Amino acid sequence: MDLSELELGHLGPGDLVYAASDIYNDGGIPDLAEDALIAAAGTRGVILNIGHLEEDPERELYLVRFEGDGAELGPPAGCWPEELSTLLHRAPGEGV
């Protein structure tokens, strides 16, 4: 099975994902300004852990570190499944 066929539910810690849209700090990362850009759409990240909120055990929450400048990983960010993708979406005509 290639990565394009995988869904988030089949992934685990260490697997690569991409930001499906711009992801901003909602105040959960204290070392970043609130509303600071954590990852632009298409930014590659690695899953650190998968869990859920105590109040909503049916909904998964992904702890992801996204690449920053120089391919260094940024701080861990909690992401909902709809904020992540297993595919890098490029605009038509963009390079590989």
Side-chain angles (χ1 to χ4, degrees):
M1 174 183 298
D2 80 29
L3 183 60
S4 65
E5 297 172 344
L6 289 178
E7 294 189 22
L8 286 175
H10 296 110
L11 300 179
D15 287 325
L16 294 178
V17 291
Y18 298 91
S21 59
D22 290 349
I23 298 174
Y24 294 92
N25 185 18
D26 62 2
I29 302 175
D31 294 337
L32 288 180
E34 194 162 336
D35 295 327
L37 182 64
I38 296 170
T43 301
R44 185 170 55 179
V46 63
I47 297 173
L48 299 179
N49 205 352
I50 302 170
H52 62 271
L53 296 178
E54 193 171 313
E55 301 83 29
D56 192 357
E58 298 298 314
R59 188 158 186 219
E60 288 187 321
L61 183 66
Y62 292 80
L63 187 62
V64 179
R65 290 183 71 185
F66 291 97
E67 286 184 343
D69 294 335
E72 291 186 29
L73 295 176
C79 299
W80 299 114
E82 60 268 18
E83 295 177 303
L84 302 172
S85 174
T86 58
L87 298 174
L88 176 57
H89 298 283
R90 297 184 187 274
E94 275 189 307
V96 178

